[in-house]
Amino acid sequence: MNKKLQYSVIHYGLCALFFFFIYILQSTPGFLEFWSFKPLLLAACTVSMAVFEQEYAGALFGAFAGALCDLSANTYFGFNAIMFMLCGLAVGLLCEYLTQRNLRNCMWFTAAFLVLVCTINYFFQLGIYKYPNAEFYWLKKTVGTTLPTLVLTPPVYWMFGYLHRRFEQYKEL
Amino acid sequence: MQEFFQSTKAKILLAVLVLLGAFMLRAIWTGGFSPMASQLLGAVATPFQRAAADVSSGVDHFFERFVRAGQTADENEKLKSEIVRMNKQLVELEELREENRRLKTLVGIQEEHKDMEMVPAALIGRDYNSRFGSFTIDKGSHHGISPRDPVISEEGLVGIVSEVGLTHSKVITILDVSLNVGAMDNRVRETGIVSGNMELAGEGKCLMNYLSRESGAFAGDLVITSGSDKSGLFPEGLVIGTITEVQAESSGLSLYAVVEPAAPIYDLHDVCVITDFLGQGEVIG
């Protein structure tokens, strides 16, 4: 195994561990829970990963993050994995061809993705059944998930930025 | 961008996408049993989730002592006076218990829940998408749990198992709008359907619908499972909660009651899954 490949394996292995660690934190009952709302930190992780590591790694790690979410979410296995994968791909391509890599854009992407995830979840779980007051529930859920996630996005962004810088220099050797 | 979509990487991503789509279709097809990939991922994650849940619960209990110090002192005073009052009641209750025991023996009533097989489980996960208080437990098909098994706590009915993995299961609660439970007002023996309500779920309450106008149901009445939900999902006699309010339906044809569940849905730590009971899965009517 050459040096470049070795560092890539270590880098992406650490990223995978970080995703797993974030999933455990995110799903721990009572931890980071605000009035029964929980942040979706894996969304921030997927977006940050795609911002720094581009579309391919963004999409694959997005699929991994989504599969982790599917373990405890009230959705069929694969639903979140597909959405997170497409998010990672889209953000990676946007950062590559259209926008700059910075925290502000990362937060915009995270917010847009969360609104999209909550809306699609709402549509398939409640919207199509036309339960009364379901729109109000969607609004509460979307705001309650998006705001705490955005507050916690900067440290996640910083962590992925740090890993990217740390390993980029070795990969260029 | 065109270069990317023509590259090998894009083809790999497309293959992954198709694979995930296949997983999802299989999950829909099997209805409640997780696919192998989910079971493997779950088997790896469950021990870590259990450890994290234990740590979180321990930290919660530790700080609760300090946060609630003032409240505990007040409670202490109240409890002291209550002890005096209850000591008197205890004498009366002892007599009543003896009488009750004799009556039970006479009519041959079995001890409560003796016909049920239960698996104790700990709550290990709540997700961003945990609608209506749903959660993940640390027991799965390996421990004998199946989809649609009822879940209870020591206080009363919690919900049902919605999806089963090898070592974990997902549970939806009685606050969920998609779950209907055949219920009965224990005092007046009037039946109805308990289901979640979008507005009341935030307050941790649910509704009991289709009570007849002449039912005589009142606030304070105990609501239990009737065992007549036509699907054999729930055994008879599990405590659901207490009626806090009774109102007429907008049509005026029937009444509905607001029910406060006996189980603390948003503050659960341990539950029991009923894996077998008399009449399970028997379709009535």
Side-chain angles (χ1 to χ4, degrees):
Chain A
M1 204 190 283
N2 64 35
K3 277 266 181 226
K4 194 180 170 183
L5 186 62
Q6 238 176 11
Y7 282 117
S8 289
V9 169
I10 297 170
H11 178 199
Y12 292 127
L14 281 176
C15 287
L17 274 180
F18 189 66
F19 268 76
F20 190 73
F21 175 69
I22 289 289
Y23 166 69
I24 299 293
L25 284 189
Q26 177 186 285
S27 62
T28 300
F31 186 72
L32 293 175
E33 200 167 321
F34 312 97
W35 296 282
S36 85
F37 295 116
K38 298 203 77 159
L40 179 49
L41 289 175
L42 283 175
C45 287
T46 302
V47 172
S48 302
M49 185 80 189
V51 164
F52 285 108
E53 306 299 335
Q54 299 176 349
E55 66 280 348
Y56 187 59
L60 286 181
F61 274 86
F64 177 56
L68 286 172
C69 277
D70 280 324
L71 282 182
S72 45
N74 278 308
T75 52
Y76 289 110
F77 185 79
F79 181 81
N80 279 311
I82 290 173
M83 289 214 296
F84 276 63
M85 186 182 170
L86 294 177
C87 163
L89 179 68
V91 171
L93 287 172
L94 281 171
C95 285
E96 183 69 15
Y97 298 104
L98 281 175
T99 59
Q100 292 180 331
R101 288 188 174 88
N102 56 38
L103 178 62
R104 196 184 59 179
N105 283 342
C106 178
M107 289 179 80
W108 276 117
F109 288 139
T110 308
F113 176 54
L114 286 168
V115 171
L116 189 72
V117 167
C118 289
T119 307
I120 293 176
N121 268 322
Y122 154 77
F123 179 75
F124 283 111
Q125 294 186 3
L126 303 169
I128 52 174
Y129 301 107
K130 296 193 171 147
Y131 290 113
N133 299 312
E135 301 82 6
F136 182 62
Y137 182 81
W138 164 78
L139 189 67
K140 261 198 328 189
K141 197 82 184 168
T142 307
V143 174
T145 307
T146 307
L147 288 182
T149 309
L150 287 181
V151 169
L152 294 165
T153 298
V156 172
Y157 176 85
W158 175 85
M159 185 67 199
F160 280 98
Y162 173 78
L163 283 174
H164 176 75
R165 285 190 299 275
R166 185 105 181 114
F167 282 91
E168 198 176 34
Q169 51 183 323
Y170 292 117
K171 286 183 199 170
E172 281 169 3
L173 284 174
Chain B
M1 202 184 289
Q2 209 174 355
E3 284 167 29
F4 172 76
F5 285 109
Q6 286 169 350
S7 66
T8 318
K9 285 179 175 178
K11 283 167 192 156
I12 294 172
L13 288 181
L14 189 66
V16 174
L17 199 66
V18 170
L19 191 72
L20 289 171
F23 277 141
M24 196 164 78
L25 286 176
R26 192 189 172 275
I28 294 167
W29 186 261
T30 51
F33 282 105
S34 309
M36 191 57 82
S38 163
Q39 298 203 8
L40 284 175
L41 209 53
V44 174
T46 303
F48 293 100
Q49 283 187 292
R50 194 184 298 142
D54 286 347
V55 170
S56 167
S57 174
V59 170
D60 262 6
H61 285 138
F62 178 76
F63 283 108
E64 209 174 83
R65 271 186 283 178
F66 301 103
V67 173
R68 298 183 58 195
Q71 200 184 336
T72 310
D74 292 341
E75 270 178 25
N76 197 20
E77 281 306 310
K78 275 186 206 163
L79 286 171
K80 274 181 184 169
S81 57
E82 201 135 298
I83 285 172
V84 178
R85 189 176 58 82
M86 287 179 88
N87 273 338
K88 289 177 193 165
Q89 283 188 347
L90 201 64
V91 179
E92 293 170 30
L93 278 172
E94 212 39 62
E95 286 169 18
L96 285 171
R97 197 163 71 170
E98 191 52 43
E99 191 184 341
N100 192 24
R101 194 180 298 146
R102 272 190 289 113
L103 286 169
K104 270 187 177 177
T105 319
L106 278 173
V107 292
I109 295 171
Q110 276 193 320
E111 289 253 330
E112 206 181 6
H113 305 326
K114 256 209 167 150
D115 56 331
M116 298 177 196
E117 275 179 34
M118 297 192 202
V119 175
L123 193 144
I124 55 164
R126 275 195 201 272
D127 202 64
Y128 80 98
N129 191 28
S130 65
R131 61 177 211 176
F132 312 114
S134 63
F135 52 85
T136 312
I137 54 172
D138 66 344
K139 298 284 159 65
S141 57
H142 178 63
H143 307 92
I145 292 172
S146 312
R148 306 183 82 75
D149 278 349
V151 179
I152 58 170
S153 70
E154 58 180 333
E155 292 89 355
L157 183 67
V158 173
I160 60 163
V161 173
S162 62
E163 193 182 315
V164 180
L166 192 66
T167 55
H168 73 284
S169 304
K170 295 178 196 173
V171 176
I172 58 168
T173 69
I174 50 173
L175 303 182
D176 201 303
V177 288
S178 67
L179 184 63
N180 295 318
V181 184
M184 180 165 65
D185 183 315
N186 193 39
R187 186 176 59 83
V188 293
R189 314 302 285 178
E190 180 75 19
T191 55
I193 301 284
V194 166
S195 56
N197 177 277
M198 212 68 74
E199 282 173 78
L200 294 170
E203 301 166 33
K205 291 177 181 171
C206 47
L207 282 185
M208 182 175 181
N209 294 302
Y210 311 118
L211 283 166
S212 71
R213 290 188 64 85
E214 297 79 26
S215 65
F218 254 127
D221 285 358
L222 194 70
V223 179
I224 59 171
T225 52
S226 64
S228 63
D229 52 7
K230 299 196 174 183
S231 59
L233 270 186
F234 301 96
E236 194 181 337
L238 293 177
V239 174
I240 297 176
T242 315
I243 293 178
T244 57
E245 191 184 332
V246 180
Q247 297 278 342
E249 293 274 7
S250 53
S251 63
L253 294 173
S254 58
L255 301 175
Y256 71 87
V258 177
V259 177
E260 184 162 12
I265 304 287
Y266 291 114
D267 195 27
L268 287 165
H269 294 286
D270 297 293
V271 292
C272 268
V273 182
I274 303 174
T275 53
D276 191 29
F277 61 90
L278 208 63
Q280 188 176 28
E282 280 175 16
V283 178
I284 304 161

